[in-house]
Amino acid sequence: MASYDQQFKVLEVPPIVQELVGAGVKEPPSQYVLPEQDRPAAAAVSEMPEPIPIIDLSRLSAGSPEEFAKLRSALENWNLFLAVGHGMEPSFLAEAMKATREFFNLPLEEKQKYSNIVNGEKMGMDGYGNDMVVKENQVLDWNDRLNLLVEPESLRTYRLWPTQPPSFRDILCEYTVRCKAAANLVFRNMAKMLNLQEDHLVNMIGNNSITQAIFNYYPQCPRPDHVLGLKAHTDGSIITVNFADAEGLQLERNGVWYNVPIVPNALVMNIGDIMEILSNGFFKSLVHRVVTNAEKERLSLVLVYTLELETQLEPVSELVDDKRPARYMKIKLNDYMEKYHDTYATGTLAIDGVKI
């Protein structure tokens, strides 16, 4: 297995956004300000032509044809869906959000114990910080985050797992297990949509694939019309599971931006680049972004499901034939992820670089 503890040389270490806001900054520093054409105000946000489907995973698990049809429609039309019936009690999700908030509310020196910066000039995949600055004039995101590999357990770096609040580790372990069950259910149903054996994707993912937890904190922003919490991107994932406490997530469809609504205790599950490649373009990776807000902060807890880093990424062989040739070139996942970090920094999409 390729080493997950790869380190990336960075040009600079950005300030902690929460500290900027705490110091009372009235204007975002210039490195956060987007070019005019990329600003949230430049692209009108439209009303949804129809609601994003809400999928009851308990009904899907029971084999409901109606729920399967709704899931298929959601993935084909929106590249994401809202998941309820996932088995996680509202009280547990509230605890997970509370632990996330308590971590970000710790003093800076406590959070810096888990810093992702190595020797002042390299950034690890795990740890506390924010953007990986790899390009000159890179526009920065208005958020701070804590990244932690959660699967496989053998690769966890526990020294970067917060000990405060005391509940943090146990909650993250339980959240990981509970989300994995939901993700596997979705993988089985996506395999059926592709006319593959039901366990094809689950077996491909296996026990050594990497899942990363990302805790995001988006402080209030004095200029939400000029700054994004997360710039427009796709995820380098099979699927991504997102639980947030406030609106701010927007998706792009046919060049139009839409707000993703908050449904109490629902998870947002979206398609990532790896699934687009594996499905030979049957599923499409979701282009999305997070906008900022002048009045309120936003927190999200994200799980990103990928494969082993040494995996040769290519369309599943059963989905390639003379009528439907491969639409994506072969590439090792770790090479793809290097491209992904570069393209994210420049606001372009890594998936576009591997299309044939």
Side-chain angles (χ1 to χ4, degrees):
M1 186 187 296
S3 172
Y4 176 80
D5 57 10
Q6 185 178 4
Q7 293 167 2
F8 299 84
K9 189 165 180 56
V10 291
L11 300 180
E12 63 173 289
V13 178
I16 296 295
V17 179
Q18 190 175 4
E19 295 299 301
L20 291 175
V21 174
V25 67
K26 294 285 187 282
E27 285 288 327
S30 60
Q31 68 257 52
Y32 293 92
V33 177
L34 292 149
E36 203 157 322
Q37 71 276 11
D38 296 334
R39 291 176 185 172
V45 176
S46 298
E47 288 292 315
M48 290 267 181
E50 73 269 359
I52 293 174
I54 299 173
I55 308 300
D56 186 334
L57 297 186
S58 64
R59 295 191 68 216
L60 191 66
S61 179
S64 162
E66 295 83 8
E67 221 62 27
F68 180 80
K70 273 171 64 180
L71 177 65
R72 184 177 189 125
S73 170
L75 293 176
E76 289 180 358
N77 292 311
W78 290 106
N79 311 325
L80 96 167
F81 63 95
L82 302 173
V84 297
H86 42 63
M88 284 184 273
E89 302 81 5
S91 58
F92 173 70
L93 291 173
E95 282 296 312
M97 195 56 74
K98 179 170 176 269
T100 303
R101 180 174 284 104
E102 287 178 359
F103 170 77
F104 285 108
N105 284 343
L106 291 171
L108 179 62
E109 58 270 23
E110 179 67 25
K111 289 180 290 198
Q112 293 287 27
K113 291 178 183 175
Y114 311 105
S115 174
N116 58 8
I117 300 301
V118 183
N119 299 328
E121 59 178 23
K122 290 188 176 179
M123 184 176 281
M125 293 294 291
D126 270 11
Y128 169 71
N130 42 35
D131 281 3
M132 187 182 291
V133 181
V134 294
K135 300 286 182 190
E136 296 284 352
N137 302 317
Q138 179 177 329
V139 179
L140 302 181
D141 295 327
W142 195 260
N143 91 336
D144 301 319
R145 57 189 85 106
L146 172 67
N147 287 19
L148 296 171
L149 178 146
V150 292
E151 293 173 327
E153 282 187 41
S154 59
L155 291 185
R156 289 179 179 174
T157 307
Y158 283 113
R159 64 181 172 78
L160 293 174
W161 285 48
T163 55
Q164 295 295 326
S167 61
F168 188 96
R169 292 186 175 195
D170 287 346
I171 286 173
L172 179 53
C173 288
E174 183 174 351
Y175 188 77
T176 299
V177 170
R178 308 281 285 273
C179 281
K180 183 64 173 279
N184 281 343
L185 174 64
V186 173
F187 293 144
R188 290 188 175 99
N189 282 276
M190 293 174 92
K192 282 160 63 176
M193 291 174 205
L194 295 169
N195 295 316
L196 298 170
Q197 291 286 329
E198 189 173 322
D199 282 332
H200 188 107
L201 295 172
V202 171
N203 291 340
M204 176 186 284
I205 293 160
N207 295 320
N208 290 320
S209 291
I210 285 174
T211 305
Q212 190 174 38
I214 307 173
F215 299 83
N216 292 293
Y217 175 67
Y218 302 92
Q220 299 97 322
C221 179
R223 293 302 301 269
D225 53 336
H226 285 187
V227 174
L228 283 170
L230 272 185
K231 61 180 74 66
H233 67 289
T234 57
D235 293 336
S237 67
I238 309 170
I239 63 168
T240 302
V241 179
N242 185 348
F243 178 60
D245 71 341
E247 288 191 354
L249 179 64
Q250 295 183 340
L251 66 84
E252 188 258 352
R253 185 170 86 158
N254 301 326
V256 179
W257 288 100
Y258 300 95
N259 289 315
V260 177
I262 288 287
V263 172
N265 305 306
L267 305 173
V268 179
M269 302 180 85
N270 67 267
I271 296 168
D273 293 359
I274 296 175
M275 181 59 87
E276 178 170 336
I277 294 168
L278 293 177
S279 71
N280 202 23
F282 182 89
F283 296 117
K284 294 284 190 266
S285 194
L286 179 76
V287 178
H288 56 291
R289 68 185 186 184
V290 176
V291 294
T292 54
N293 189 299
E295 306 299 327
K296 57 185 179 184
E297 63 187 17
R298 179 179 185 270
L299 292 162
S300 69
L301 171 48
V302 177
L303 286 184
V304 178
Y305 291 91
T306 69
L307 296 168
E308 288 187 58
L309 287 177
E310 285 294 327
T311 303
Q312 184 84 347
L313 203 49
E314 61 184 317
V316 172
S317 58
E318 290 89 337
L319 303 179
V320 177
D321 56 32
D322 292 342
K323 289 183 183 169
R324 192 178 175 90
R327 297 181 173 189
Y328 304 85
M329 61 182 73
K330 294 181 186 180
I331 185 170
K332 269 194 180 174
L333 180 57
N334 50 359
D335 294 333
Y336 185 79
M337 293 316 295
E338 284 200 25
K339 283 180 185 285
Y340 180 87
H341 291 305
D342 278 349
T343 55
Y344 182 83
T346 56
T348 55
L349 301 180
I351 190 77
D352 290 340
V354 296
K355 290 177 180 175
I356 297 173

